Amino acid sequence: MTRLQTLHDNLRSVLGDSVDLTESLGELTLQVPASAWLETCRTLRDHADLRFEQNMDLCAVDYSAWKAPTYTPDHVAHPKRFAVVIQLLSVTHNWRLRVRAYADNDEFPMMASLVDVWPSVNWYEREAFDLFGVVFEGHPDLRRILTDYGFIGHPFRKDFPISGHVEMRYDAEQKRVIYQPVTIEPREVVPRIVREDHYGIERY
């Protein structure tokens, strides 16, 4: 039995046969509801048959522009907009796992903080909050980490304008940095060749 199959069987044994588990490209992805996010992660860390001691990464994903592949009959938008994804490592068993949960509310995405489970996610959760606007309930210091304190919006959301909302500059008269509406004129940056329906088809 391979290591991946052993992990697969252990996850089903510990979490139940109905667990949402998929395998692709030699990797396992476990999907859990937002309401079970914290409890499931504690189990993944503490259970002897799983023992994921390390959280290697956490990020958010905005699925608002996602569509099912065109070759499938359900070519529709994704049912939920925001997800949080973590990458786990078990040093004890030498295996890895991806875990994903979708926020229940698209307008105000919220997930339980995992800082008490893996303290290393502290800055990762702040980054996801800063760039995507996901609120992590229970985080000890949830504030922006990459953008400025006065920054408006969340720049990794799909509906965030490329040029932003505001710009800042130093004003010599006021002797301080000021914010003002962005003055960059929006321009089309997509190459025309990408928009042509029949590109690459020879015409005679």
Side-chain angles (χ1 to χ4, degrees):
M1 181 179 293
T2 65
R3 191 188 309 275
L4 194 67
Q5 185 61 50
T6 301
L7 172 58
H8 183 281
D9 293 347
N10 287 5
L11 286 166
R12 291 200 176 278
S13 174
V14 173
L15 301 176
D17 289 335
S18 62
V19 67
D20 188 347
L21 194 60
T22 58
E23 179 183 342
S24 178
L25 301 176
E27 297 179 343
L28 288 176
T29 298
L30 171 66
Q31 187 164 301
V32 300
S35 58
W37 180 242
L38 185 57
E39 179 185 356
T40 301
C41 287
R42 282 202 182 103
T43 301
L44 292 172
R45 180 195 65 182
D46 296 337
H47 199 284
D49 292 340
L50 302 174
R51 196 67 76 189
F52 286 98
E53 305 98 336
Q54 293 189 21
N55 187 316
M56 308 301 292
D57 190 26
L58 177 148
C59 70
V61 182
D62 181 356
Y63 284 95
S64 60
W66 185 91
K67 295 286 191 299
T70 55
Y71 52 80
T72 63
D74 57 343
H75 182 52
V76 295
H78 202 277
K80 292 186 178 179
R81 179 172 181 181
F82 295 103
V84 174
V85 182
I86 56 176
Q87 309 287 344
L88 303 181
L89 169 67
S90 171
V91 177
T92 299
H93 300 294
N94 189 25
W95 51 38
R96 295 174 184 267
L97 177 68
R98 178 185 301 109
V99 188
R100 177 175 56 217
Y102 292 96
D104 292 326
N105 189 335
D106 289 349
E107 299 302 317
F108 189 74
M110 178 180 292
M111 299 288 292
S113 174
L114 299 179
V115 170
D116 289 340
V117 183
W118 296 287
S120 61
V121 305
N122 190 316
W123 282 17
Y124 295 141
E125 289 184 347
R126 285 180 59 187
E127 183 180 60
F129 164 70
D130 190 358
L131 301 179
F132 290 91
V134 177
V135 174
F136 291 90
E137 188 176 21
H139 191 286
D141 186 25
L142 193 62
R143 55 194 168 95
R144 291 188 183 272
I145 190 171
L146 294 175
T147 60
D148 186 74
Y149 291 115
F151 194 88
I152 298 174
H154 304 284
F156 276 18
R157 289 189 174 191
K158 296 292 178 65
D159 55 3
F160 190 83
I162 293 176
S163 58
H165 296 285
V166 297
E167 61 188 25
M168 61 184 224
R169 65 178 177 84
Y170 179 76
D171 189 283
E173 293 182 0
Q174 301 183 47
K175 296 187 178 357
R176 66 180 181 89
V177 172
I178 63 170
Y179 289 87
Q180 62 189 34
V182 68
T183 57
I184 300 174
E185 289 293 329
R187 61 189 179 90
E188 181 63 61
V189 295
V190 180
R192 178 165 179 75
I193 195 172
V194 174
R195 299 196 306 267
E196 293 178 352
D197 294 334
H198 303 290
Y199 173 70
I201 299 176
E202 293 184 2
R203 296 182 179 86
Y204 297 95

